[in-house]
Coordinates of all heavy atoms in Angstrom, one line a residue:
A1323 N -0.4 22.2 -41.6 CA -1.3 22.8 -40.7 C -1.1 24.2 -40.5 O -2.0 25.1 -40.4 CB -1.2 22.0 -39.3
N1324 N 0.2 24.6 -40.3 CA 0.6 26.0 -40.1 C 0.2 26.9 -41.2 O -0.3 28.0 -41.1 CB 2.1 26.1 -39.9 CG 2.6 25.5 -38.6 OD1 3.8 25.3 -38.4 ND2 1.7 25.2 -37.6
D1325 N 0.3 26.3 -42.5 CA -0.1 27.1 -43.7 C -1.6 27.3 -43.7 O -2.0 28.3 -44.3 CB 0.3 26.3 -44.9 CG 1.9 26.3 -45.2 OD1 2.5 27.1 -44.5 OD2 2.3 25.4 -45.9
L1326 N -2.3 26.5 -43.0 CA -3.8 26.7 -42.9 C -4.2 27.5 -41.7 O -5.4 27.6 -41.4 CB -4.5 25.4 -42.9 CG -4.4 24.6 -44.3 CD1 -4.8 23.2 -44.1 CD2 -5.3 25.3 -45.3
G1327 N -3.2 28.0 -40.9 CA -3.5 28.9 -39.8 C -3.8 28.0 -38.5 O -4.4 28.6 -37.5
M1328 N -3.3 26.8 -38.5 CA -3.5 26.0 -37.3 C -2.1 25.5 -36.7 O -1.2 25.4 -37.4 CB -4.3 24.7 -37.7 CG -5.6 25.0 -38.3 SD -6.7 23.5 -38.7 CE -5.8 22.9 -40.1
E1329 N -2.1 25.3 -35.4 CA -0.9 24.9 -34.7 C -1.2 23.4 -34.2 O -2.3 23.0 -34.0 CB -0.7 25.8 -33.5 CG -0.4 27.2 -33.8 CD -0.1 28.1 -32.6 OE1 0.7 27.6 -31.7 OE2 -0.6 29.2 -32.6
I1330 N -0.1 22.7 -34.0 CA -0.1 21.3 -33.6 C 0.1 21.3 -32.0 O 1.1 21.8 -31.5 CB 0.9 20.5 -34.3 CG1 0.7 20.5 -35.8 CG2 0.9 19.1 -33.8 CD1 -0.6 20.0 -36.3
A1331 N -0.9 20.6 -31.4 CA -0.7 20.2 -30.0 C -0.5 18.7 -29.9 O -1.2 17.9 -30.5 CB -2.0 20.6 -29.3
L1332 N 0.6 18.4 -29.2 CA 1.0 17.0 -29.1 C 0.6 16.5 -27.7 O 0.8 17.2 -26.7 CB 2.4 16.8 -29.4 CG 2.9 15.4 -29.8 CD1 2.2 14.9 -31.0 CD2 4.4 15.5 -30.0
D1333 N 0.2 15.3 -27.6 CA 0.0 14.7 -26.3 C 1.3 14.4 -25.6 O 2.2 13.8 -26.2 CB -0.8 13.4 -26.5 CG -1.5 13.0 -25.1 OD1 -0.8 12.6 -24.2 OD2 -2.7 13.0 -25.0
F1334 N 1.5 14.8 -24.4 CA 2.7 14.5 -23.6 C 2.2 13.6 -22.4 O 1.7 14.1 -21.4 CB 3.3 15.8 -23.1 CG 4.6 15.6 -22.4 CD1 5.5 14.6 -22.7 CD2 4.9 16.3 -21.3 CE1 6.7 14.4 -22.0 CE2 6.0 16.2 -20.5 CZ 6.9 15.2 -20.9
A1335 N 2.4 12.3 -22.5 CA 2.0 11.3 -21.5 C 3.2 10.7 -20.9 O 3.9 10.0 -21.6 CB 1.1 10.3 -22.2
I1336 N 3.4 11.0 -19.7 CA 4.6 10.4 -19.0 C 4.3 9.1 -18.5 O 3.9 8.9 -17.3 CB 5.1 11.4 -17.9 CG1 5.4 12.8 -18.4 CG2 6.3 10.8 -17.2 CD1 5.8 13.8 -17.4
Q1337 N 4.4 8.1 -19.4 CA 4.1 6.7 -19.0 C 4.7 5.9 -20.1 O 5.0 6.4 -21.2 CB 2.6 6.4 -18.9 CG 1.9 6.8 -20.1 CD 0.4 7.0 -19.8 OE1 0.0 7.5 -18.8 NE2 -0.5 6.6 -20.8
C1338 N 4.9 4.6 -19.9 CA 5.6 3.7 -20.9 C 5.0 2.4 -20.9 O 4.5 1.9 -19.9 CB 7.1 3.6 -20.4 SG 8.0 5.1 -20.2
S1339 N 5.1 1.8 -22.1 CA 4.7 0.4 -22.2 C 5.8 -0.4 -21.6 O 6.9 0.1 -21.4 CB 4.5 0.0 -23.7 OG 5.7 -0.3 -24.3
P1340 N 5.6 -1.7 -21.3 CA 6.7 -2.5 -20.8 C 7.8 -2.7 -21.8 O 8.9 -3.0 -21.4 CB 6.0 -3.9 -20.5 CG 4.5 -3.6 -20.3 CD 4.3 -2.4 -21.3
D1341 N 7.6 -2.3 -23.0 CA 8.6 -2.5 -24.1 C 9.4 -1.2 -24.4 O 10.2 -1.2 -25.2 CB 7.9 -2.9 -25.4 CG 7.1 -4.2 -25.2 OD1 7.5 -5.1 -24.5 OD2 6.0 -4.3 -25.7
H1342 N 9.1 -0.2 -23.6 CA 9.7 1.1 -23.9 C 11.2 1.0 -23.5 O 11.6 0.3 -22.5 CB 9.1 2.2 -22.9 CG 9.4 3.6 -23.2 ND1 10.7 4.1 -23.2 CD2 8.6 4.7 -23.7 CE1 10.7 5.4 -23.6 NE2 9.4 5.7 -23.9
P1343 N 12.1 1.7 -24.3 CA 13.5 1.5 -24.0 C 13.9 2.0 -22.6 O 14.9 1.5 -22.1 CB 14.2 2.5 -25.1 CG 13.2 2.5 -26.2 CD 11.8 2.4 -25.6
Y1344 N 13.2 2.9 -22.0 CA 13.5 3.3 -20.7 C 13.5 2.2 -19.7 O 14.2 2.3 -18.6 CB 12.4 4.4 -20.2 CG 12.6 5.8 -20.9 CD1 11.6 6.7 -20.7 CD2 13.7 6.2 -21.5 CE1 11.6 8.0 -21.4 CE2 13.9 7.4 -22.1 CZ 12.7 8.3 -22.1 OH 12.8 9.5 -22.7
V1345 N 12.6 1.2 -19.9 CA 12.5 0.2 -18.9 C 13.8 -0.6 -18.7 O 14.1 -1.0 -17.6 CB 11.3 -0.8 -19.3 CG1 11.2 -1.9 -18.3 CG2 10.0 0.0 -19.4
K1346 N 14.5 -0.8 -19.8 CA 15.8 -1.6 -19.8 C 16.9 -0.6 -19.5 O 17.8 -0.9 -18.7 CB 16.0 -2.2 -21.1 CG 15.1 -3.5 -21.3 CD 15.5 -4.2 -22.6 CE 14.7 -5.4 -22.9 NZ 15.0 -6.1 -24.1
E1347 N 16.9 0.6 -20.0 CA 18.0 1.5 -19.9 C 18.0 2.2 -18.5 O 19.0 2.6 -18.0 CB 17.9 2.6 -21.0 CG 18.1 2.1 -22.4 CD 17.8 3.1 -23.5 OE1 17.4 4.2 -23.1 OE2 17.8 2.8 -24.7
H1348 N 16.8 2.4 -17.9 CA 16.7 3.1 -16.7 C 15.7 2.4 -15.8 O 14.6 2.9 -15.4 CB 16.2 4.6 -16.9 CG 17.1 5.4 -17.7 ND1 18.3 5.9 -17.3 CD2 17.0 5.7 -19.1 CE1 18.9 6.6 -18.2 NE2 18.1 6.5 -19.4
P1349 N 16.0 1.2 -15.3 CA 15.0 0.4 -14.6 C 14.7 1.1 -13.2 O 13.6 0.9 -12.7 CB 15.8 -0.9 -14.3 CG 17.2 -0.6 -14.5 CD 17.3 0.5 -15.6
D1350 N 15.6 2.0 -12.7 CA 15.3 2.7 -11.4 C 14.3 3.8 -11.6 O 13.9 4.4 -10.6 CB 16.6 3.2 -10.8 CG 17.4 4.0 -11.8 OD1 17.2 3.8 -13.0 OD2 18.3 4.8 -11.4
W1351 N 13.8 4.0 -12.8 CA 12.8 5.0 -13.1 C 11.4 4.4 -12.9 O 10.4 5.1 -13.1 CB 12.9 5.6 -14.5 CG 14.0 6.6 -14.6 CD1 15.0 6.9 -13.7 CD2 14.5 7.2 -15.8 NE1 15.9 7.7 -14.2 CE2 15.6 8.0 -15.5 CE3 13.9 7.3 -17.1 CZ2 16.3 8.8 -16.5 CZ3 14.5 8.1 -18.1 CH2 15.7 8.8 -17.7
F1352 N 11.3 3.1 -12.5 CA 10.0 2.5 -12.4 C 10.0 1.7 -11.0 O 11.0 1.5 -10.4 CB 9.9 1.5 -13.5 CG 9.9 2.1 -14.9 CD1 11.1 2.2 -15.6 CD2 8.8 2.6 -15.5 CE1 11.2 2.9 -16.8 CE2 8.8 3.3 -16.7 CZ 10.1 3.4 -17.4
K1353 N 8.8 1.4 -10.6 CA 8.7 0.6 -9.4 C 8.6 -0.9 -9.7 O 7.8 -1.3 -10.6 CB 7.4 1.0 -8.7 CG 7.4 2.4 -8.0 CD 6.2 2.7 -7.2 CE 6.3 4.1 -6.6 NZ 5.1 4.4 -5.8
W1354 N 9.4 -1.6 -9.0 CA 9.4 -3.1 -9.2 C 8.8 -3.8 -8.0 O 9.1 -3.5 -6.9 CB 10.9 -3.5 -9.4 CG 11.5 -3.0 -10.6 CD1 12.0 -1.7 -10.8 CD2 11.6 -3.6 -11.9 NE1 12.4 -1.5 -12.0 CE2 12.2 -2.6 -12.8 CE3 11.2 -4.8 -12.4 CZ2 12.4 -2.9 -14.1 CZ3 11.4 -5.1 -13.8 CH2 12.0 -4.1 -14.6
R1355 N 8.0 -4.8 -8.3 CA 7.3 -5.5 -7.3 C 8.2 -6.7 -6.8 O 9.1 -7.1 -7.5 CB 6.0 -6.0 -7.9 CG 5.1 -4.9 -8.3 CD 3.6 -5.3 -8.6 NE 3.6 -6.3 -9.7 CZ 2.5 -6.9 -10.2 NH1 1.3 -6.5 -9.6 NH2 2.5 -7.8 -11.1
P1356 N 7.8 -7.3 -5.7 CA 8.6 -8.4 -5.1 C 8.8 -9.6 -6.0 O 9.8 -10.3 -6.0 CB 7.8 -8.8 -3.9 CG 7.1 -7.6 -3.5 CD 6.7 -6.9 -4.7
D1357 N 7.8 -9.7 -7.0 CA 7.9 -10.9 -7.9 C 8.8 -10.6 -9.1 O 8.9 -11.4 -10.1 CB 6.6 -11.4 -8.4 CG 5.8 -10.3 -9.1 OD1 6.3 -9.2 -9.3 OD2 4.7 -10.6 -9.6
G1358 N 9.4 -9.4 -9.1 CA 10.3 -9.0 -10.3 C 9.6 -8.4 -11.4 O 10.3 -8.1 -12.4
T1359 N 8.4 -8.2 -11.3 CA 7.7 -7.5 -12.4 C 7.5 -6.0 -12.1 O 7.7 -5.6 -11.0 CB 6.2 -8.0 -12.6 OG1 5.5 -7.9 -11.4 CG2 6.3 -9.5 -13.0
V1360 N 7.2 -5.2 -13.1 CA 7.1 -3.8 -13.0 C 5.7 -3.4 -12.6 O 4.8 -4.0 -13.1 CB 7.5 -3.0 -14.2 CG1 7.5 -1.5 -14.0 CG2 8.9 -3.5 -14.7
Q1361 N 5.5 -2.5 -11.7 CA 4.2 -2.1 -11.3 C 3.5 -1.3 -12.4 O 4.0 -0.3 -12.8 CB 4.3 -1.1 -10.0 CG 2.9 -0.6 -9.6 CD 2.0 -1.6 -9.1 OE1 2.3 -2.4 -8.2 NE2 0.8 -1.8 -9.7
Y1362 N 2.4 -1.9 -12.9 CA 1.7 -1.2 -14.0 C 0.7 -0.2 -13.4 O 0.5 -0.2 -12.2 CB 1.0 -2.1 -14.9 CG 0.1 -3.1 -14.3 CD1 -1.2 -2.8 -13.9 CD2 0.5 -4.5 -14.1 CE1 -2.0 -3.7 -13.3 CE2 -0.3 -5.4 -13.6 CZ -1.6 -5.0 -13.2 OH -2.5 -5.9 -12.6
A1363 N 0.1 0.6 -14.2 CA -0.8 1.6 -13.8 C -2.2 1.0 -13.3 O -2.7 0.1 -13.9 CB -1.1 2.7 -14.9
E1364 N -2.8 1.6 -12.3 CA -4.0 1.1 -11.8 C -4.9 2.2 -11.3 O -4.4 3.3 -11.0 CB -3.8 0.2 -10.6 CG -3.2 -1.2 -10.9 CD -3.1 -2.1 -9.6 OE1 -2.3 -1.7 -8.7 OE2 -3.8 -3.1 -9.6
N1365 N -6.2 2.1 -11.6 CA -7.2 3.0 -11.1 C -8.4 2.1 -10.7 O -9.3 2.1 -11.5 CB -7.5 4.0 -12.1 CG -8.6 5.0 -11.7 OD1 -8.7 5.2 -10.4 ND2 -9.2 5.7 -12.5
P1366 N -8.3 1.4 -9.6 CA -9.2 0.3 -9.3 C -10.7 0.8 -9.5 O -11.0 1.9 -9.1 CB -9.0 0.0 -7.8 CG -7.5 0.5 -7.5 CD -7.3 1.6 -8.5
P1367 N -11.5 0.0 -10.1 CA -11.2 -1.4 -10.5 C -10.5 -1.6 -11.8 O -10.2 -2.7 -12.2 CB -12.6 -2.1 -10.6 CG -13.5 -0.9 -11.1 CD -12.9 0.3 -10.3

């Protein structure tokens, strides 16, 4: 891309799937619900 005069823009999304290593390595980086599951993203509905 650079050789053609273009630069790379990468998406930086601060979110994780439930399988992301952070979920096990840093559980305190996420919100946990009373039933023991992690709070997933919501934008009702």
